[in-house]
Amino acid sequence: MDTGTTSEFFLAGQVSLDFGTSEQSLVRNLSGCVATGPLLWTVSDEGRTLERLTREVDGYRLSERFALDQFIQGIPGSSDDELDLESIDSDATSLWLCGAHCKVRRKPEANEILNSEIRERKSRRLLARLMIDQSPGRPVTAQSVPFEGDGSLRTMLEGNLFFAPFRELPTKENGIDIEGLAVVDGCVFIGLRGPVIGGFAVVAELAIDSAFRIQSVRPFFLNLQGLGVRELTRDGTNILITAGPVGDAQGPFALYRWSPKPGFAPRKVYSWGTAIEKPEGLCWCEVGGERGLLVFYDSPGDTRLQNGVYSADLLKRLQV
């Protein structure tokens, strides 16, 4: 069993992502990214859009923004309800998007410490695949699983014996909360920030048929030292897992490599430790002819944000 710990990456610098001066709110809420050739696609955990950025000499610039309501039908709630998109990945022809699928505790009033009301916004239950016209780099059609009822991902998770006890809990309080998505060799994996069950984090493999219906959910229970999953990223046939607290604690945060094979335990390959900035989005990209991991942060510091330009970190693999 592989249980070793080593640092395989180092902070190599930063990459500029120019969203334009009109996108101040967007750059503070970036939550997921994936690069396909010279294009970088991003989502945020507020709003209902997909952004496409085009690679320049040493960074990326916003080239188009897509309203997801144009492609995905039947999103519950009002047009003002956020999708709470937490992760994005790609395969040869498509982009995959996943929302948090979580319940939330209503923010307390001025005279309250906690509010007892738990809200369930079904717009957060998005799992979709957008087919991309590769030449212009534009979505053309989409498939999505039901947002509620039989066949929805939330319903299938709640019906699992391991997840059922946590179905009434809100996010950040060990409730069901999806924050990672990875498509590896045609297999779809989701990573859960919560629940952490018996000290183990959960990554689940989804069996999805040709009609884009979920046939089964297979959970894997991983020892991430009591942390939950904050992001999943493909690394060849392996998966990189960003791990962090279920709640709002400032760490620790760490990066693990894992493969869904018998006897393969997650291996820590990088550590952020504790920090005000919390690693949120992660993807491989190529900038300036060199390949590295692009990192977005929740609660980014003001030094990262200048007139609509977000300075993302770039991690590179150590040469052995």
Side-chain angles (χ1 to χ4, degrees), residues 193 196 199-202 222 224-229 243-246 251-254 256:
R193 176 173 178 168
V196 171
F200 291 91
V202 183
L222 308 180
L224 304 182
Q225 303 300 308
L227 301 175
V229 176
V246 172
F253 293 90
Y256 289 82

Side-chain angles (χ1 to χ4, degrees), residues 74-108:
I75 300 175
S78 74
S79 59
D80 294 329
D81 290 342
E82 64 187 44
L83 299 182
D84 198 7
L85 295 171
E86 292 291 352
S87 195
I88 178 172
D89 202 4
S90 65
D91 59 23
T93 62
S94 311
L95 296 177
W96 292 71
L97 306 173
C98 192
H101 287 68
C102 63
K103 297 182 179 181
V104 296
R105 183 180 295 279
R106 184 179 175 184
K107 291 183 178 180

Side-chain angles (χ1 to χ4, degrees), residues 36-308:
T36 58
L39 303 179
L40 178 69
W41 306 85
T42 67
V43 292
S44 68
D45 53 16
E46 295 188 9
R48 304 164 73 100
T49 61
L50 167 72
E51 282 68 46
R52 186 195 70 205
L53 294 85
T54 302
R55 185 171 59 206
E56 298 187 334
V57 175
D58 55 358
Y60 293 87
R61 182 183 298 273
L62 180 67
S63 51
E64 196 159 0
R65 190 175 192 179
F66 304 98
L68 290 172
D69 293 83
Q70 295 180 358
F71 308 99
I72 300 169
Q73 305 302 313
I75 300 175
S78 74
S79 59
D80 294 329
D81 290 342
E82 64 187 44
L83 299 182
D84 198 7
L85 295 171
E86 292 291 352
S87 195
I88 178 172
D89 202 4
S90 65
D91 59 23
T93 62
S94 311
L95 296 177
W96 292 71
L97 306 173
C98 192
H101 287 68
C102 63
K103 297 182 179 181
V104 296
R105 183 180 295 279
R106 184 179 175 184
K107 291 183 178 180
E109 304 293 339
N111 61 341
E112 294 179 315
I113 296 176
L114 281 178
N115 193 306
S116 62
E117 182 181 349
I118 306 299
R119 289 181 170 179
E120 183 174 16
R121 290 184 176 168
K122 295 177 181 178
S123 61
R124 298 169 181 260
R125 298 181 175 185
L126 174 66
L127 175 62
R129 180 184 183 187
L130 275 66
M131 278 59 77
I132 302 297
D133 185 334
Q134 301 295 327
S135 178
R138 296 178 58 89
V140 287
T141 59
Q143 296 173 292
S144 62
V145 302
F147 284 82
E148 55 187 314
D150 292 343
S152 74
L153 178 53
R154 176 81 196 197
T155 297
M156 297 193 74
L157 290 175
E158 289 182 349
N160 183 281
L161 290 176
F162 286 103
F163 300 130
F166 305 92
R167 60 189 173 192
E168 300 301 330
L169 298 178
T171 177
K172 303 180 184 179
E173 298 177 42
N174 219 31
I176 296 171
D177 185 357
I178 300 171
E179 296 238 351
L181 172 72
V183 183
V184 183
D185 291 338
C187 298
V188 180
F189 296 88
I190 56 171
L192 283 80
R193 176 173 178 168
V196 171
I197 304 174
F200 291 91
V202 183
V203 173
E205 182 179 1
L206 309 180
I208 301 178
D209 64 20
S210 58
F212 211 74
R213 293 295 180 263
I214 301 172
Q215 298 301 306
S216 64
V217 177
R218 178 191 180 192
F220 295 84
F221 301 99
L222 308 180
N223 182 4
L224 304 182
Q225 303 300 308
L227 301 175
V229 176
R230 305 294 286 261
E231 180 64 293
L232 299 179
T233 304
R234 281 176 292 138
D235 186 28
T237 59
N238 297 323
I239 296 176
L240 293 175
I241 302 172
T242 303
V246 172
D248 281 329
Q250 294 179 354
F253 293 90
L255 187 66
Y256 289 82
R257 177 179 291 106
W258 172 70
S259 177
K261 300 175 183 176
F264 195 102
R267 180 184 181 90
K268 187 186 292 187
V269 294
Y270 185 78
S271 178
W272 288 273
T274 57
I276 295 176
E277 294 187 313
K278 306 171 183 179
E280 176 90 356
L282 187 77
C283 73
W284 289 101
C285 70
E286 185 173 314
V287 179
E290 296 190 10
R291 190 168 183 260
L293 284 169
L294 196 70
V295 187
F296 294 162
Y297 294 88
D298 188 15
S299 304
D302 289 341
T303 57
R304 291 192 185 276
L305 311 174
Q306 300 292 332
N307 298 319

